[in-house]
């Protein structure tokens, strides 16, 4: 086996890996992303489930750590109290004034207790740190949840307000349209009534005029029927005034003769026949 053999083996392995990767079916990124994207509701459900699980596991860890740390702390307190009570001073003999301090074993116990205390303090510090992190995570999750709820509430209120505004505008527009249609209908009705009244007034006036004309014609015909006429032939040197004075002895006879003969002026001709109404 030469030095190049391991490198050749490694190169063959790399080639096999490249061949396997090339043989794999390439899925379009967009399609893969679409297939991998879960529903939003399931994502929120998983997040809530995960948060609950984390909170539960954190609470269990804190309780377990408390059960472990409590005996250690109690043991440390007991050792400290024993150390203080163990450093007793006993006399060497009953009559001697010299005393011997017994504290060798207590020093060893003291160092062991200090170490245990340091370990306990570290454990307690870690526990408090974990508890603080847990509380901070809880407060952060709570704030995020409150912010999301506030956002959704504001969005729902905005949508509701927009819907109410659109509804009010639609009602206002419908009311305005109905008002315009009512005004238009009333205007058309008033116009039709005015035209009808004008036609009726015109018919009435025409009928009244016809009735009046008929009454006048009837009256005239009746007057003509009741009036007797004398026919006078105009002689030479006769005037209308002279004829009126001859028959009526009054100047008003001129108008009577003119009206009866439909004369436009006072001039008459010789030989003209005039109707002289008899009153």
């Amino acid at each position: 086996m030469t030095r190049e053999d391991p490198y050749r083996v490694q190169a063959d392995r790399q080639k096999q890996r490249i061949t396997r990767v090339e043989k794999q079916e390439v899925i379009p990124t967009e399609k893969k992303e679409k297939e991998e994207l879960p529903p939003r509701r399931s994502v929120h459900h998983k997040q809530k489930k995960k948060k609950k699980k984390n909170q539960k596991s954190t609470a269990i860890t804190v309780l377990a750590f408390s059960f472990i740390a409590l005996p250690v702390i109690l043991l440390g307190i007991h050792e400290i109290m024993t150390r203080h009570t163990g450093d007793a001073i006993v006399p060497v003999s009953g009559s001697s004034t010299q005393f011997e301090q017994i504290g060798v074993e207590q020093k060893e116990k003291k160092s062991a207790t200090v170490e245990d205390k340091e370990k306990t303090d570290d454990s307690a510090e870690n526990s408090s740190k974990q508890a603080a992190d847990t509380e901070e995570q809880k407060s952060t999750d709570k704030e995020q949840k409150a912010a999301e709820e506030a956002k959704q509430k504001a969005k729902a209120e905005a949508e509701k307000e927009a819907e109410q505004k659109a509804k009010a505008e639609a009602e206002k527009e419908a009311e305005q349209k109905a008002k315009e249609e009512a005004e238009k209908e009333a205007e058309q009705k008033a116009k039709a009534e005015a035209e009808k009244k004008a036609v009726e007034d015109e018919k009435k006036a025409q009928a009244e005029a016809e009735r009046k004309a008929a009454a006048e014609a009837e009256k005239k015909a009746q007057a003509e029927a009741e009036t007797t006429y004398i026919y006078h032939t105009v002689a030479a040197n006769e005037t209308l005034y002279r004829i009126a004075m001859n028959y009526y002895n009054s100047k008003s006879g001129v108008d009577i003769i003119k009206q009866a003969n439909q004369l436009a002026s006072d001039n008459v001709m010789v030989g003209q026949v005039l109707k002289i109404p008899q009153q």
Side-chain angles (χ1 to χ4, degrees):
M1 185 174 180
T2 61
R3 294 180 180 178
E4 296 178 355
D5 290 339
Y7 298 104
R8 290 177 181 174
V9 173
Q10 188 175 2
D12 291 336
R13 289 178 181 174
Q14 294 292 335
K15 286 179 181 179
Q16 289 177 3
R17 289 180 183 175
I18 293 169
T19 306
R20 288 176 186 173
V21 170
E22 288 178 354
K23 286 181 179 180
Q24 290 178 357
E25 185 179 357
V26 180
I27 300 172
T29 308
E30 296 180 357
K31 187 176 180 181
K32 192 173 181 181
E33 288 178 357
K34 288 181 180 178
E35 291 176 356
E36 290 179 357
L37 287 175
R40 190 172 181 181
R41 186 175 180 182
S42 62
V43 172
H44 286 295
H45 183 68
K46 286 180 180 179
Q47 288 179 355
K48 290 180 180 178
K49 193 174 180 181
K50 190 175 180 182
K51 287 179 183 178
K52 289 181 180 178
K53 190 175 180 181
N54 291 335
Q55 291 175 0
K56 188 175 179 181
S57 61
T58 306
I60 293 169
T61 305
V62 171
L63 289 172
F65 184 78
S66 301
F67 281 116
I68 294 169
L70 186 61
V72 176
I73 293 169
L74 293 174
L75 182 62
I77 293 168
H78 179 69
E79 289 295 333
I80 292 168
M81 292 176 68
T82 306
R83 183 189 63 187
H84 284 293
T85 56
D87 292 337
I89 300 170
V90 292
V92 178
S93 62
S95 61
S96 176
T97 56
Q98 294 179 356
F99 294 89
E100 183 181 358
Q101 187 174 1
I102 300 170
V104 178
E105 294 179 359
Q106 282 79 3
K107 287 182 181 179
E108 292 178 358
K109 288 181 180 180
K110 181 180 178 182
S111 61
T113 306
V114 170
E115 289 178 359
D116 292 337
K117 187 178 180 182
E118 289 178 354
K119 289 180 181 179
T120 305
D121 292 339
D122 292 338
S123 300
E125 186 178 355
N126 292 330
S127 176
S128 62
K129 189 175 180 181
Q130 288 180 358
D133 292 338
T134 304
E135 292 295 331
E136 186 178 358
Q137 183 67 26
K138 285 181 180 179
S139 62
T140 304
D141 294 340
K142 192 173 181 181
E143 289 176 358
Q144 289 179 355
K145 188 176 180 180
E148 187 175 356
E149 288 178 355
K151 189 176 179 181
Q152 290 178 356
K153 189 175 180 181
K155 187 177 179 182
E157 287 179 356
E159 290 177 354
K160 188 176 180 181
E161 187 177 356
E163 186 177 356
Q164 289 178 354
K165 189 176 180 182
K167 189 176 180 181
E169 289 179 355
E171 289 178 355
K172 188 176 180 181
E173 187 176 355
E175 186 177 354
Q176 184 68 23
K177 191 174 181 181
K179 188 177 180 181
E180 290 178 356
E181 289 179 355
E183 289 178 354
K184 189 176 180 181
E185 187 176 355
E187 186 178 355
Q188 289 178 354
K189 190 174 181 181
K191 189 176 179 181
E193 288 179 356
E195 290 177 355
K196 187 177 179 180
K197 189 176 180 181
V199 171
E200 289 178 355
D201 291 341
E202 187 178 354
K203 286 181 178 180
K204 280 184 180 181
Q206 188 175 359
E208 185 68 21
E210 289 178 355
R211 186 183 65 77
K212 208 170 184 182
E216 288 180 357
E218 186 178 356
K219 188 176 179 181
K220 187 178 180 182
Q222 189 177 0
E224 287 181 356
E226 290 177 356
T227 305
T228 57
Y229 295 96
I230 296 173
Y231 294 95
H232 175 78
T233 303
V234 179
N237 297 323
E238 276 187 339
T239 60
L240 190 60
Y241 177 76
R242 191 171 179 180
I243 295 168
M245 291 299 292
N246 187 19
Y247 285 99
Y248 298 105
N249 295 320
S250 175
K251 188 178 179 181
S252 60
V254 175
D255 295 329
I256 295 170
I257 295 169
K258 285 174 69 177
Q259 187 176 1
N261 293 276
Q262 298 179 356
L263 298 175
S265 63
D266 296 342
N267 297 326
V268 291
M269 295 182 295
V270 177
Q272 184 178 358
V273 179
L274 299 174
K275 292 191 299 183
I276 309 298
Q278 296 294 313
Q279 294 181 350

